[in-house]
Structure formats: C-alpha cells, structure tokens
C-alpha cells in the first residue's frame, strides 16, 4: 500500500511537470511565465521585507498571506527554464543550461529557505521571521549573482 501511494505521488509529480512543460507553445511563453512567477514572488516577499525593515508595521496576518503566495510562486519558475529559452527577452545567463544541476540545487535551496520562512511566519514571531527572511534573501542573491545578467 505504502509503495503504491509513493508511486501514485511520483506519478502525480511527473504529470504536473509534464503539463507545465507542455503548456508553453513557444519559448517566449516560457520566458514570460517564469518572469511573471518571479515578479509575483518578489512582490509578496518584498511586502514581508517592508515589515522586517520596519517600513510598515508588523501585521502577522498580512505576513502569512504574503508568505503563502511567495511560497507557492517559489515552486513555479523552474519548469520554464527549458531548451531554447536562453535567448530573447531574458536576463537568464547561458550558465543556467551549462550548469543545470548547480542551478537546480540553488533553486531548491531558495525553495527550502522560503518554506522555512513560511513556517517562521506562522509562529508570528517577528525576530524569527527577520532571521529567516535574511536567509531567503541570500538564496535569491546567490542565483542572481551567478545566473542573472545585470
Ligand atoms: C527581494 C527581491 C529579490 C531579493 C534579492 C535579495 O526582495 O525582490 O530579488 O530580495 O534582492 O538579494
């Protein structure tokens, strides 16, 4: 039974990835999709940043709403780094494709740090949120430094 459930879960994951890849009729569509996901992620992560930096008052409920969106968005962009999407309206560096394993590891680190920020946000403890917010920011920056053009 356990094995069957694992197989079903693996199949569901594979189907999701295939559907995501199949949804891009043209390379530009994949580029737009991943940029949109990063934009929305950055916007909602930034709203938490405003609280962390004291630019807006801390609101635990608003932080939770924002981290839920940022966490969901963090999972979306990477299926769109497909072959043929290194050209066009993109700042993606060619190293993404020549170092795909490293790129995926860096993406996965960001997703893990974001998930930890999600957990920290649910505690409602601003100090915990601040500490983890910094780690997510570092994981964003690591990818930007290596894989995003100026
Ligand atoms: C943000 C945002 C990013 C990251 C990055 C961290 O708020 O939009 O892309 O933090 O600047 O270095």
């Amino acid at each position: 039974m356990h094995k069957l459930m694992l197989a079903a879960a693996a199949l569901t994951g594979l189907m999701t990835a295939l559907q995501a890849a199949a949804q891009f009729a043209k390379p530009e569509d994949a580029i737009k999709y991943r940029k949109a996901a990063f934009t929305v992620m950055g916007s909602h992560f930034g709203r938490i940043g405003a609280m962390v930096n004291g630019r807006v008052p801390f609101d635990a409920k608003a932080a939770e709403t924002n981290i839920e969106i940022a966490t969901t968005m963090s999972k979306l962009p990477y299926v769109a780094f497909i072959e043929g999407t290194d050209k066009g309206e993109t700042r993606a560096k060619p190293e993404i494709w020549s170092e795909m394993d490293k790129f995926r590891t860096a993406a996965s680190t960001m997703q893990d740090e974001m998930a930890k920020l999600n957990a920290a946000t649910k505690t409602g403890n601003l100090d915990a949120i601040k500490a983890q917010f910094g780690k997510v920011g570092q994981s964003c920056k690591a990818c930007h430094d290596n894989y995003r053009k100026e």
Side-chain angles (χ1 to χ4, degrees), residues 71-127:
T71 307
T72 300
M73 289 302 128
S74 74
K75 298 169 188 165
L76 303 184
Y78 301 100
V79 293
F81 285 90
I82 51 180
E83 288 300 320
T85 61
D86 54 336
K87 300 177 264 315
E89 296 284 310
T90 180
R91 285 187 287 166
K93 283 190 181 170
E95 282 80 1
I96 290 173
W97 287 272
S98 59
E99 303 172 2
M100 189 51 91
D101 286 353
K102 269 180 72 182
F103 178 67
R104 292 216 179 278
T105 300
S108 171
T109 298
M110 182 279 285
Q111 291 165 333
D112 291 348
E113 297 294 0
M114 191 72 86
K116 286 185 197 167
L117 180 59
N118 191 309
T121 302
K122 285 185 175 137
T123 69
N125 179 329
L126 183 56
D127 286 334

Side-chain angles (χ1 to χ4, degrees), residues 42-43 45-46 133 136-138 140-141 144 148:
S43 174
F45 180 63
F133 182 88
V136 178
Q138 282 166 19
C140 298
K141 188 173 185 302
H144 294 166
R148 189 176 73 171

Side-chain angles (χ1 to χ4, degrees), residues 39-59 62-67 69-70 129 133:
T39 298
V40 175
M41 178 169 76
S43 174
H44 291 274
F45 180 63
R47 291 183 214 187
I48 300 168
M51 295 183 210
V52 162
N53 298 325
R55 276 181 282 127
V56 306
F58 179 54
D59 174 340
E64 264 198 64
T65 304
N66 285 308
I67 192 59
I69 298 168
I129 296 170
F133 182 88

